[in-house]
Structure formats: C-alpha cells, structure tokens
Amino acid sequence: MLLYSRSFEWLVLAFVVRGLKEFGEPTRKALIMDLAPDNCKAGMFGLYYLIRDVFVSVAAFGGAFLWQISPETNFVVAFLFGLVGTIGFALFGREIRNGLPMGSAG
C-alpha cells in the first residue's frame, strides 16, 4: 500500500493498515509465555526477542541493499516475503491450545 500511496489520504490509510498488526502483539506475547517452561519463562521471552531482533537486523542490511537498486524493489521483495510467510503458515501452521499442538495427547 505504501508503494502505491500517491496522496496524503492513501498514505494515512497505509499506516492504519500497518498499525493493524499491533492487535496481535498481546496475543503473541501471551503465547510465548504460555509455551515456555514454567522455570524459565523470562529467559525464553528474552531468547525469542533476541532471535527475532537478530533476523530483523540482518534483514535491515538486505533492505538497504535492495533500496540501492530502487525503493520499489525493496517494497516488492518485502511484500513477497510476507506473502510467502502467510501462505506457508496457512499451509503448514498448527493451532495451539493449552500449550500443545492440536492433535497432541496431553
């Protein structure tokens, strides 16, 4: 959306859509804590964010490289990675209830 925003109104809409991802933030944090063993919840929470931030930092260098090609290339590649991740989750993701993957004995 940001790539094709040609007016202030479309730019505002793009940032509103981007902000919608924040609705999942409390759920994601609760899921991390729910799946972590009781004796090391804080450590697992920190480890999750360490791993995530390492990937985000490395991806920033990739984004800088793509931006040198063109800003459009950067946006399109980011969109494609998001699309692949969404499709991958839709095909292979599993719902988790009570700390166990669906179908697991517990």
Side-chain angles (χ1 to χ4, degrees):
M1 279 189 80
L2 189 58
L3 178 61
Y4 295 108
S5 296
R6 302 286 185 232
S7 67
F8 180 74
E9 291 80 12
W10 283 104
L11 186 63
V12 168
L13 182 62
F15 277 92
V16 168
V17 169
R18 164 60 177 84
L20 291 176
K21 86 173 194 85
E22 298 303 324
F23 281 111
E25 184 73 15
T27 304
R28 184 169 46 90
K29 287 180 179 178
L31 183 61
I32 295 166
M33 297 307 290
D34 189 41
L35 295 175
D38 287 333
N39 61 341
C40 60
K41 286 190 182 290
M44 293 304 287
F45 193 75
L47 179 64
Y48 167 82
Y49 277 98
L50 172 67
I51 293 169
R52 187 188 85 159
D53 290 347
V54 165
F55 277 95
V56 167
S57 298
V58 171
F61 288 109
F65 170 74
L66 291 172
W67 193 274
Q68 289 180 342
I69 296 170
S70 75
E72 292 82 9
T73 302
N74 195 10
F75 285 126
V76 170
V77 170
F79 170 76
L80 291 175
F81 268 96
L83 189 62
V84 167
T86 300
I87 292 169
F89 181 77
L91 294 176
F92 304 109
R94 294 182 292 172
E95 184 175 347
I96 297 175
R97 289 199 182 148
N98 299 326
L100 295 172
M102 291 296 294
S104 297

